[in-house]
Amino acid sequence: MKILVYGINYSPELTGIGKYTGEMVEWMARKGHEVRVITAPPYYPQWKVNPRYSSWRYRREEGEAIVWRCPLYVPKQPSTLKRLLHLGSFALSSFFPLMAQRRWKPDRIIGVVPTLFCTPGMRLLAKLSGARTLLHIQDYEVDAMLGLGMAGKGTRSSVVKLASAFECSGLHNVDYVSTISRSMMNKARQKGVAGEKVIFFPNWSEVDRFRDVTAAEALALRQHLGLPEDKKIILYSGNIGEKQGLESVIDAASRLTHQPWLFVIVGQGGGKARLEKSVSERGLSNVMFLPLQPYDVLPALLKMGDCHLVVQKRGAADAVLPSKLTNILAVGGNAVITAEKQTELGQLCTCHPGIAVCVEPESVDALVSGIEQALVMPEINTVARDYAGRTLDKDNVLSQFIADIRG
C-alpha cells in the first residue's frame, strides 16, 4: 500500500508519540509498503527544536520513507493558548506539502493525533486522491486539557469550544479511528464514532529486546551513570511535564530520606527546572536527575530500576495512556501506577493481579505505600513480562493494524 503518515511528532524524538510513529513507519517500509511522512522538526520533550533542524524552514529527507519537515511555533513554556497556537502553526505550514501528495495518490492517510487541527486538510486530500483516512488517537487533546485544568474559565467558552468542535468534526468524518487502549476506544464511541469504525491499536514493545536484557548490562549502565550500588533505585523515566504530577515524587522522596533508596528521574520537559529547584531548596540527597538516555540503553536502564514510577495527575489516566509502561512490563519491572480504579490503568491492575501496584493519584501517602509494596515484590515480575509477551509484541500489534486498515 501507499501510506501517508501525517503528524507533528516523529523520529528522532526518543520518547512518546514520535518514537512510536517513527517505529511504525520503519516497520511498514521494511514490510514493503511505500511510506511518506509529513511532520515537524523534532522538539519533544524539551519543547525546543533540535539544533540540527530549523523551526522556520521546510526540509525534505530521504531514507526508508520520504519525510517532509514543516515549520512550526514551539513555545518555551506551553500554556493552553500557546499550545493551540503551536498545533495550529503546524496544521497551517503542513497544508502545502500535504496537498502536494495528490499526484502520488496514497491508498491510506494516517493522521496521528495530536493535532486535530490537521484533519480538515487530511480529509480534503482524501477526497482529491481517493484515499481512505484514519485518525490514530495517541492523546485526546481536549480531554487532557480539561482534565488537567489547563483551560481557565475565561478561555473555556471560546478556545476550548473551538477545539471541541475540531475534535467532533475530525472524529466523525474519517473512515477509521484507532486508539491505544480499550477505555480510549469507549471514549471514541461516547463522542459519537460508530463502533465498527473504531480500531484497537495499542502502543507496543520490542518484547524480546527488553525481556532478554541481562543483569550485567544493567550493572554496567549503573556504573557508567555513577549510581551507587548499595541503594535501591526508584526510577522515573520519560517526559517531565505538567500531566505527570512529579511534585508528589519529590514529596515522597523527602519522607524517605532515612531509607537506602535513590530516586532517579531521567528525562526532559517543561517541569524539570521547577523540580530541580525544589530538590535543591529542600536539600534532598536522595534524588538524582539525569538527561534523557539513548534508546539503545533503555532496556538496561529499565532493568536497573528496582521500582518504576508511572505517575500522572488525577483525571489524566484515561485521556493519555503512558507509553513508558509497555517497556516496563516487557522488562519484568515492578511499577507503581497512580490511577483511579475505574480507569484503563486501574482496570489493568485489577484484571491482572500482581502486574503492578495501583495507588490513588496525587496522594503522597499512597505513593510512599506503593513504593514500599513494589520494593518487596519478586525482582522479576513474571505477571508483567508474560502480559507484555502476549499482548504488546511489536510485530503482532503492527501486523494486526495493517490487516485492520486493508479492509
Side-chain angles (χ1 to χ4, degrees):
M1 285 191 296
K2 290 182 177 180
I3 302 174
L4 178 64
V5 177
Y6 183 27
I8 198 168
N9 298 107
Y10 187 66
S11 298
E13 293 178 352
L14 295 173
T15 186
I17 296 167
K19 169 188 174 295
Y20 284 104
T21 303
E23 289 183 8
M24 176 183 72
V25 168
E26 181 184 14
W27 185 91
M28 289 175 172
R30 285 203 315 266
K31 295 296 182 181
H33 299 284
E34 190 177 346
V35 189
R36 294 186 176 184
V37 181
I38 296 175
T39 188
Y43 68 91
Y44 185 84
Q46 296 88 350
W47 284 91
K48 182 179 180 182
V49 170
N50 185 304
R52 292 180 295 169
Y53 295 78
S54 169
S55 300
W56 307 109
R57 296 178 183 174
Y58 289 93
R59 170 170 165 167
R60 176 184 163 122
E61 303 168 357
E62 294 197 19
E64 291 184 319
I66 298 175
V67 179
W68 283 268
R69 304 275 183 179
C70 304
L72 83 168
Y73 162 66
V74 180
K76 292 181 180 179
Q77 294 293 332
S79 63
T80 298
L81 181 58
K82 287 180 180 179
R83 181 170 171 78
L84 291 172
L85 290 173
H86 158 73
L87 298 172
S89 70
F90 173 72
L92 178 62
S93 72
S94 62
F95 180 79
F96 305 102
L98 179 70
M99 289 300 104
Q101 306 309 309
R102 178 185 178 185
R103 292 183 180 178
W104 183 55
K105 292 189 178 296
D107 299 304
R108 299 290 184 271
I109 305 171
I110 300 175
V112 182
V113 179
T115 168
L116 283 162
F117 290 159
C118 293
T119 53
M122 188 176 85
R123 286 159 43 203
L124 176 59
L125 174 62
K127 288 183 179 180
L128 296 173
S129 65
R132 289 187 181 181
T133 53
L134 177 140
L135 270 184
H136 180 51
I137 311 294
Q138 282 276 6
D139 186 339
Y140 280 109
E141 296 167 297
V142 178
D143 289 359
M145 181 171 60
L146 295 178
L148 297 174
M150 292 171 63
K153 294 180 180 178
T155 61
R156 185 181 180 94
S157 61
S158 52
V159 175
V160 174
K161 284 188 176 180
L162 177 62
S164 297
F166 267 103
E167 180 181 56
C168 251
S169 175
L171 291 173
H172 294 173
N173 292 285
V174 293
D175 295 298
Y176 308 101
V177 173
S178 63
T179 191
I180 60 178
S181 74
R182 302 293 181 184
S183 61
M184 291 173 76
M185 291 174 70
N186 290 336
K187 194 178 290 290
R189 297 184 188 102
Q190 291 167 8
K191 292 175 182 289
V193 181
E196 62 271 16
K197 293 172 55 175
V198 182
I199 294 172
F200 181 48
F201 184 27
N203 288 333
W204 55 82
S205 174
E206 294 178 288
V207 172
D208 290 343
R209 186 162 180 258
F210 284 84
R211 182 180 55 206
D212 296 338
V213 64
T214 66
E217 292 174 277
L219 178 60
L221 179 62
R222 186 180 188 129
Q223 293 170 342
H224 173 73
L225 296 174
L227 302 177
E229 296 182 27
D230 61 342
K231 291 184 182 294
K232 296 281 190 180
I233 301 298
I234 301 168
L235 180 66
Y236 175 87
S237 177
N239 180 42
I240 306 174
E242 297 301 327
K243 67 190 177 191
Q244 283 74 30
L246 288 173
E247 295 83 2
S248 62
V249 175
I250 306 305
D251 291 338
S254 70
R255 295 191 187 183
L256 296 168
T257 53
H258 61 287
Q259 296 284 4
W261 304 341
L262 180 64
F263 287 75
V264 179
I265 299 176
V266 180
Q268 298 295 136
K272 185 173 182 178
R274 186 179 66 254
L275 293 179
E276 288 177 320
K277 181 180 179 183
S278 176
V279 168
S280 176
E281 289 175 346
R282 298 186 191 199
L284 298 177
S285 60
N286 63 338
V287 181
M288 183 175 181
F289 290 89
L290 293 172
L292 194 65
Q293 299 297 301
Y295 184 70
D296 287 347
V297 305
L298 184 58
L301 178 71
L302 297 183
K303 181 73 172 180
M304 186 183 71
D306 298 289
C307 169
H308 297 269
L309 302 180
V310 182
V311 182
Q312 296 184 113
K313 287 185 176 179
R314 192 181 303 277
D318 263 6
V320 185
L321 190 70
S323 58
K324 65 177 72 65
L325 181 58
T326 59
N327 292 329
I328 293 171
L329 298 177
V331 83
N334 293 313
V336 178
I337 298 173
T338 63
E340 299 97 322
K341 295 293 185 183
Q342 73 276 12
T343 64
E344 179 85 8
L345 290 177
Q347 289 300 302
L348 175 71
C349 296
T350 299
C351 295
H352 302 276
I355 197 170
V357 179
C358 185
V359 301
E360 181 185 355
E362 300 182 52
S363 167
V364 179
D365 289 339
L367 182 58
V368 168
S369 176
I371 291 169
E372 292 171 343
Q373 292 176 58
L375 287 174
V376 298
M377 293 171 71
E379 183 177 346
I380 298 177
N381 188 327
T382 55
V383 177
R385 194 170 63 178
D386 292 347
Y387 175 86
R390 290 193 310 273
T391 62
L392 301 176
D393 180 71
K394 180 179 178 179
D395 281 338
N396 293 342
V397 169
L398 286 166
S399 294
Q400 182 61 53
F401 176 67
I402 288 295
D404 288 339
I405 67 173
R406 277 188 187 278

